[in-house]
Amino acid sequence: MTTKSTPNPFARFGLDERLLRAVAEMGYERPTPIQEQAIPLVMAGKDVTGSAQTGTGKTAAFGLPILHKLLSEPQKQRGLRVLILSPTRELAAQIEESLKDYARHTKIKIACVIGGVAIGPQTKKLREGIDILVATPGRLLDHLGQRNLSFGALEVFVLDEADRMLDMGFLPDIRRIIAQLPAKRQTMLFSATIPPEIAKLANSLLKQPEHVQVGRQAAPAVGITHAVYPVPSHLKPLLLPAILRDIGARSVLVFTRTKRRADKLARHLTKTGLRIAVIHGDRSQNQRTAALDGFKRGKSEVLVATDLAARGLDVEGITHVINFDVPGSPDDYVHRIGRTARADALGDAFTLVAPEEEMQMRQIEAHLGHVLPRVAVRDFDYSVPAPEKKTGLERASTSRVNVPTSFHMSRRRKLPRKR
Ligand code: AMP
């Protein structure tokens, strides 16, 4: 608990004194990482997307600056000022409870409307007037249908656990609700993962959003951090260089499903300026030895390999194993990641998972006995569509947007030169 001699660690955000008092009473000794990142952005009025799960302190990360805004900015028009959508009743009730805790020294009125309980008392509360509403989509639509509330005065909209909303089939409901919100507002979207549908929704919903992300959770396997990067398959060739850049690739082993894909990927990565070696069954023994030697001696930063070629491979100091394609079996996964974290060295194992590979990934997770964290690359545009579009990269009427030609069109060796 913060005392007079220890300054309140939330004070530096410039939060209202009544909120600081509540936080101190609740025993919060320091902001959590998501709070560190998100509070200043929300205070500055920015739109924010966040990859963070419940349990990270997310509610205060958006709740405290929202409450501060309501306290510091006079209401321009009577009516609801903040709407928070949550996929489940339990989560909605939990958010309401936390917000009431943070607002305990203020007169801000907070209510929650969820299904499965009588609608009458909720209607009464809504009609009396509230400032912040936490709701599940279905029951909110019922109230909107009965004209129990309107969004004319709405200033802030929070969409929580967006990926779960998607899984639960709430996206059409959400779109109907969003259609009724005023265009001028501050918007926040939180999602543990950013599947393409959510990226698309975020694009249409937020204006120049800032992204906040809470670091990956450590996986139980000693020394190895496993993470899954959900991504549409056509964006894998773009995501991989972004990941390699993020991790400052030094000694990375990348697996592909087939020899052909290994060659294609190696060619593509070479163009991004990385030094690449490749080994697979179709390469001569001399080529393989040279590739491996170069990798061992640090001449190449990335070794692209197929499963077979990598069996028994023992290279010290591999920092990361990246599965460009999901391994065919749980055994292959274990073998692949066994290439890293040797001799207690720290190593990470990342897997790029396209929607059509999710089932395979689940089998691997079942084998490991736990679900791996889904993560996203900050600032990566997951919404780039696969269909035809031309970019500078593909100036000569080739196929897919942004995706380097060499990867998709193996037979087209050379791009026509630009004159
Ligand atoms: P949430 O992720 O918002 O559901 O919060 C998870 C739990 O962490 C809740 O019980 C919060 O009261 C608590 N919590 C949030 N922020 C802090 C903090 N800065 N210090 C300690 N506990 C916190």
Side-chain angles (χ1 to χ4, degrees), residues 369-417:
H370 53 90
V371 175
L372 304 181
R374 264 52 179 174
V375 295
V377 172
R378 181 196 286 245
D379 295 335
F380 185 80
D381 185 359
Y382 286 85
S383 63
V384 174
E388 308 245 336
K389 221 185 201 182
K390 288 175 207 161
T391 69
L393 257 181
E394 302 172 44
R395 49 184 89 92
S397 70
T398 52
S399 65
R400 299 175 169 92
V401 65
N402 273 348
V403 181
T405 317
S406 59
F407 205 79
H408 284 294
M409 307 193 76
S410 53
R411 263 180 250 128
R412 185 180 204 120
R413 283 277 140 76
K414 279 187 187 157
L415 289 176
R417 289 242 172 86

Side-chain angles (χ1 to χ4, degrees), residues 38-66:
I39 292 176
L41 295 172
V42 183
M43 292 279 278
K46 304 254 189 218
D47 280 6
V48 171
T49 55
S51 313
Q53 276 145 346
T54 298
T56 54
K58 187 177 49 169
T59 316
F62 66 77
L64 288 172
I66 287 176

Side-chain angles (χ1 to χ4, degrees), residues 10 23 26-35 53-62 64 91 94-95 98 101-102:
F10 286 78
V23 164
M26 292 173 75
Y28 291 7
E29 289 184 356
R30 67 186 70 82
T32 65
I34 184 107
Q35 290 162 5
Q53 276 145 346
T54 298
T56 54
K58 187 177 49 169
T59 316
F62 66 77
L64 288 172
L91 185 62
Q94 206 176 302
I95 294 172
S98 295
D101 269 336
Y102 304 136

Side-chain angles (χ1 to χ4, degrees), residues 61 165 187 244 261 295 298 309 316 322 347 392 406 414:
M165 298 271 198
T187 306
L244 292 171
R261 282 173 74 77
F295 184 58
E316 261 180 40
I322 301 183
S406 59
K414 279 187 187 157

Side-chain angles (χ1 to χ4, degrees), residues 5 28 31 46 89 110 200 230 235 242 310 313 357 378-379:
S5 55
Y28 291 7
K46 304 254 189 218
R89 297 168 193 170
I110 301 161
K200 218 165 119 192
L235 291 182
L313 186 82
E357 294 174 307
R378 181 196 286 245
D379 295 335

Side-chain angles (χ1 to χ4, degrees), residues 124-396:
K124 186 164 171 280
K125 216 178 237 168
L126 290 177
R127 292 199 168 154
E128 280 166 10
I130 50 164
D131 301 299
I132 301 180
L133 180 66
V134 190
T136 49
R139 180 54 67 92
L140 180 64
L141 281 171
D142 292 343
H143 283 292
L144 286 168
Q146 295 179 15
R147 299 188 186 285
N148 295 336
L149 83 161
S150 71
F151 295 134
L154 198 91
E155 297 165 47
V156 185
F157 172 53
V158 180
L159 184 60
D160 200 15
E161 306 224 338
D163 48 355
R164 251 169 107 188
M165 298 271 198
L166 173 75
D167 290 345
M168 294 170 76
F170 282 144
L171 234 43
D173 282 357
I174 297 207
R175 291 214 178 87
R176 283 171 62 203
I177 293 165
I178 290 168
Q180 303 193 35
L181 302 179
K184 192 171 174 299
R185 55 161 202 264
Q186 187 178 10
T187 306
M188 278 153 255
L189 180 147
F190 292 92
S191 199
T193 61
I194 316 273
E197 291 93 330
I198 296 303
K200 218 165 119 192
L201 182 72
N203 265 351
S204 66
L205 203 59
L206 297 110
K207 293 192 191 90
Q208 298 172 333
E210 300 278 347
H211 187 72
V212 296
Q213 182 158 14
V214 177
R216 298 186 313 266
Q217 303 154 3
V222 178
I224 300 179
T225 305
H226 307 244
V228 168
Y229 288 79
V231 60
S233 54
H234 71 281
L235 291 182
K236 282 188 176 188
L238 289 180
L239 186 70
L240 181 60
I243 295 173
L244 292 171
R245 260 195 311 277
D246 265 10
I247 61 181
R250 270 182 303 106
S251 183
V252 182
L253 182 55
V254 176
F255 283 99
T256 61
R257 196 171 49 235
T258 64
K259 298 173 224 172
R260 233 170 94 95
R261 282 173 74 77
D263 280 334
K264 271 200 238 175
L265 184 61
R267 280 200 299 273
H268 163 55
L269 290 177
T270 303
K271 285 184 194 150
T272 67
L274 287 160
R275 286 170 294 150
I276 310 295
V278 58
I279 49 167
H280 58 63
D282 279 357
R283 308 212 88 200
S284 70
Q285 192 54 48
N286 280 351
Q287 284 175 318
R288 284 202 238 177
T289 311
L292 209 53
D293 271 2
F295 184 58
K296 280 185 181 169
R297 286 189 285 112
K299 260 177 75 186
S300 40
E301 295 140 332
V302 179
L303 178 64
V304 181
T306 54
D307 286 302
L308 220 56
R311 283 271 152 100
L313 186 82
D314 193 0
V315 180
E316 261 180 40
I318 290 179
T319 55
H320 298 79
V321 166
I322 301 183
N323 297 313
F324 187 72
D325 300 311
V326 174
S329 73
D331 276 352
D332 283 342
Y333 184 86
V334 173
H335 277 126
R336 286 185 185 185
I337 63 165
R339 306 298 120 219
T340 184
R342 294 231 148 173
D344 293 337
L346 285 181
D348 287 341
F350 301 153
T351 306
L352 277 56
V353 182
E356 59 274 18
E357 294 174 307
E358 266 293 341
M359 282 303 289
Q360 235 167 297
M361 196 62 225
R362 296 222 174 116
Q363 280 171 13
I364 292 168
E365 290 175 315
H367 179 83
L368 297 174
H370 53 90
V371 175
L372 304 181
R374 264 52 179 174
V375 295
V377 172
R378 181 196 286 245
D379 295 335
F380 185 80
D381 185 359
Y382 286 85
S383 63
V384 174
E388 308 245 336
K389 221 185 201 182
K390 288 175 207 161
T391 69
L393 257 181
E394 302 172 44
R395 49 184 89 92

